[in-house]
Amino acid sequence: MRIDILTIFPDFFGVLDISLLGKARERGIIELGVHDLRDYTHDRHRTVDDTPYGGGAGMVMRPEPWGEALDATLTPETVVIVPSPAGVPFTQAAARELAQEKHLVFTCGRYEGIDQRVIDYAADTVRVREISLGDYVLNGGEVATMAMIEAIGRLVPGVVGNPESLTEESHENGLLEYPSYTKPSTWRERSVPPVLLSGNHKAIADWRYEQQLERTRRVRPDLLPDGE
Ligand SMILES: COC(=O)c1ccnc(N)c1
């Protein structure tokens, strides 16, 4: 998979050289390109924004630099991801789908957003997904992009050492994950649930599923399958 990020804060993504994705990049599983949108401006001040038509507070990102940046980056198989509070809620299922794609381009908007014609222009030739991390506003798309790259990147085949570890996580089976424990078996007078020490794999699996249901009922009843 190749990921390209278009942003006015390229240094923000230095952290992607470390962590899991750093190793995936070393192994050539994921290629990453971070591009400074200002490299696609031609004025002395490298201007990327201007006042909104129709008035109102704040500034809007100019279409010209975005157009040139997209022209230099898009391929026919690209999926453009626009982090936006006005987008479709991001889910584990979406992360799983996007992890199968060959090329993702993240467009990090700032200010009051990107001139709408840029999104419409891209949508004429490639798939565009406006995606929200939740019902709140950030100052720019960079933090959301980082979160999505981590959620997607870890699902790209070959990135995580033991794919088994991906199957029992929150939201993988639609439910929240069960509680986890490790040594010591008693800590500050709190003991590990005895079933986990029983060696009875079926009893452990049943207990874990029941814990998923209980936690999902309590915290996220909206995720419960009908009848549970
Ligand atoms: C500028 O981007 C945002 O404010 C944003 C992006 C993705 N999800 C959100 N909830 C906000």
Side-chain angles (χ1 to χ4, degrees), residues 178-185 190-193 196 207-208 211:
Y178 51 76
S180 296
Y181 302 85
T182 186
K183 303 179 189 61
S185 60
R190 294 170 188 271
S191 295
V192 169
L196 298 179
W207 179 87
R208 283 175 166 172
Q211 290 294 310

Side-chain angles (χ1 to χ4, degrees), residues 83-85 109-111 131-141 144 148:
S84 163
R110 282 263 141 184
Y111 314 110
I131 298 180
S132 169
L133 293 195
D135 294 334
Y136 49 84
V137 181
L138 302 167
N139 286 330
M148 286 190 264

Side-chain angles (χ1 to χ4, degrees), residues 79-95:
V79 178
V80 171
I81 297 175
V82 185
S84 163
V88 172
F90 188 54
T91 62
Q92 187 70 9

